[in-house]
Amino acid sequence: MVPLKRRKVANSGTLNAGTHNSAATQPNKFPQVILFLLERKMGASRRAFLSQLGRRKGFQVEELFSKNVTHVICESNTAQEARMWLEAQGAGQAGRHLLDVSWYTESMRDGHPVEILDRHKLQQTPGGTVHLLMNDSEVTPFSVPGYACQRRCTLENHNAVLTDALSLLAENAELSDEDGRGVAFRRAAAVLKALPSAVTNMSQLTGLPCLGGHSLRVIKVSGWVSFAVLQVLTGIFGVGSKTADRWIREGIHNLQQLRDSGQTLNRAQQAGLEHYDDIKQPVSLAEAEAIRGIVGRAVASVSPEAQIVLTGGFRRGKLTGHDVDFLITHPEEGSEVGLMPKLVSWLESRVSCHLQNVLLICDVIFLLMFALFCRFSLCCFIDKQTRRWRAVRVDLVVSPISQFAFALLGWTGSKLFERELRRWAGHEKGMSLSSHALYDNKQGRYIRASSEEEIFAHLGLEFIPPNERNA
Ligand code: UTP
Ligand code: MN
């Protein structure tokens, strides 16, 4: 692709030849349409780029706002924000169209102002569409719905290098308790994941939210050293960012320093430190299935009718994970009460805190439930293939059957998909969604559902199967 600057020169060369692409020779082909692009959220460089593009196609695009403007083009602004801006200019909305940039890019593509449809009008909440311009002579809009829970996003994506970098940035921000920034990076990554092809030129990023110079600068200058230390310490099972932060301030920067420090560790943290390398190693699907077999047998022996489902990343089709997530329920409401403690004591009666004393549960795999607090547990088993002990994180959740569909949806993830589902429910439907229930805020009542499909239907969303929830 020719860089922007060089192409400008080339265009001025074709000016005298009077081709259709030349910038200055196109008269205003649509005198009834006077456009103004709002810089707010669009950014100065994208605005300049889009304005130039429009003028070349024969549109009148004003540099400054005036009362003559008929169409105001916005990106990621709500109708209310645009109206407030207009009022600040001493102008009202009267007689003016407030339009999303999708109307503009489609008009560029078709070479004339397209019919204004509902989806082109500014919404009450931001989102809408994200458009990517391939180069400045040809508009190839990638249209992506504003909410990740409206998009299908498989595990493969065309921009893995970028999305991996952004995921790291998100992780960094989350570890520093900067959830807002973390979400911004995750949203940007999710938008890139949904694009139908690879981004091939940096200039293309100009149009994408959260992917401007800021993100790129952050990659360069952010404190990778402290990030790395925080990542090591919070990588210990049972250690959160607060504890890690305290240790760092006390001069503990690695595992050896932690061992030497004489810090009091709880049972989970002791196990976490002991099995650090194992826990860092991703869990394979085969291991997840083996653990499913063991936990399944344990569940069956304490409550024969109880059911167990693999959730989390493995249900979304991932081949590896950082843990194995299970959801357990009982077909009879109420019979799930007390299931977890029974399960724990069943397992504990068969294991000990030391690997030497493990009990043979079947001839393939040993299981050791190690540190069990809340839902989290650490289980150790020996794999027949590797003939090696290995510790794995297991996340067990028990749900009453009446909440099962909500729990299944909530624990399948991805995290961003869940967050977006809740954002959609709240902003677009006036409902509150959790892993327990769906509540209609307007009607003041809970909405029942016995399957994930029903929940999507209540939310007015097309059903998205687990393997397409990898936002
Ligand atoms: P995980 O953190 O296990 O994510 O939580 P994952 O997608 O399975 O990723 P890997 O493969 O293990 O690395 C699974 C889902 O459970 C929900 C989230 O929606 C998440 O997507 N969850 C997790 C919660 O609701 N609350 C929690 O505290 C943790
Ligand atoms: Mn998981």
Side-chain angles (χ1 to χ4, degrees), residues 155-220:
L155 288 167
E156 301 297 326
N157 91 73
H158 301 285
N159 290 289
V161 174
L162 290 170
T163 57
D164 288 352
L166 283 162
S167 299
L168 262 181
L169 283 171
E171 212 177 302
N172 184 12
E174 284 157 8
L175 285 175
S176 321
D177 280 334
E178 294 177 66
D179 285 348
R181 251 163 34 94
V183 174
F185 287 131
R186 294 217 185 271
R187 289 221 172 98
V191 165
L192 288 179
K193 281 186 196 173
L195 295 181
S197 62
V199 174
T200 53
N201 186 307
M202 284 303 279
S203 70
Q204 295 177 294
L205 299 183
T206 318
L208 290 172
C210 309
L211 263 178
H214 177 65
S215 304
L216 301 176
R217 264 196 312 281
V218 172
I219 293 181
K220 291 205 188 94

Side-chain angles (χ1 to χ4, degrees), residues 352-370:
S352 130
C353 286
H354 298 283
L355 291 179
Q356 292 87 333
N357 301 330
V358 291
L359 183 98
L360 182 65
I361 290 181
C362 70
D363 58 355
V364 185
I365 296 155
F366 300 93
L367 169 83
L368 178 65
M369 270 302 174
F370 219 70

Side-chain angles (χ1 to χ4, degrees), residues 394-407:
V394 177
D395 202 344
L396 299 171
V397 174
V398 175
S399 147
I401 189 79
S402 59
Q403 299 177 6
F404 180 74
F406 299 102

Side-chain angles (χ1 to χ4, degrees), residues 248-282:
I248 291 170
R249 278 186 276 107
E250 290 174 21
I252 299 169
H253 291 153
N254 58 45
L255 301 186
Q256 198 51 50
Q257 287 172 346
L258 177 61
R259 286 191 196 100
D260 298 342
S261 70
Q263 288 278 341
T264 344
L265 303 178
N266 65 30
R267 201 173 156 218
Q269 293 165 343
Q270 284 168 26
L273 190 54
E274 190 177 335
H275 298 285
Y276 185 83
D277 292 334
D278 273 359
I279 293 169
K280 283 274 106 174
Q281 196 190 319

